[in-house]
Amino acid sequence: MMGNERHGLIGVIGSDLLRHAKIPVILLVAVLVSAVLVVTTTHETRRLTAQREQLVLERDALDIEWRNLILEENALGDHSRVERIATEKLKMQHVDPAQENIVVQQ
């Protein structure tokens, strides 16, 4: 007799869905998986975009520092500046090559 059999509600619903509604269940699972993948992909895209922005800012800062270092190198390597420091601080004098031979020979 069927009246004495006890079936759980979830078991009855599950077996009924599998027996009569396979395509809708498959579509429901596909939609849920798709939704989770969309959320995961969106999150990863936003994280990578923020990381890229941070790297672009770092690159710009390093670019500015590089330009400043080149300007500083050019300023420190300027011949007139080197000559001025040599004459003022080190008390060096510019020697004429013609006079140098006379001084050395004496």
Side-chain angles (χ1 to χ4, degrees), residues 73-91:
E73 180 184 32
N74 289 339
L76 292 175
D78 188 30
H79 293 293
S80 61
R81 181 180 178 279
V82 172
E83 187 175 348
R84 180 175 43 81
I85 290 173
T87 55
E88 292 175 3
K89 292 185 179 178
L90 301 175
K91 306 297 184 211

Side-chain angles (χ1 to χ4, degrees), residues 1-13 15 19:
M1 291 188 139
M2 288 185 97
N4 292 339
E5 292 181 29
R6 296 199 103 202
H7 297 285
L9 181 60
I10 294 176
V12 171
I13 292 173
S15 66
R19 204 174 307 134

Side-chain angles (χ1 to χ4, degrees), residues 55-68:
L55 290 173
V56 166
L57 290 175
E58 283 182 38
R59 184 195 64 194
D60 290 345
L62 289 172
D63 223 14
I64 291 169
E65 185 178 351
W66 173 252
R67 283 190 223 124
N68 288 338

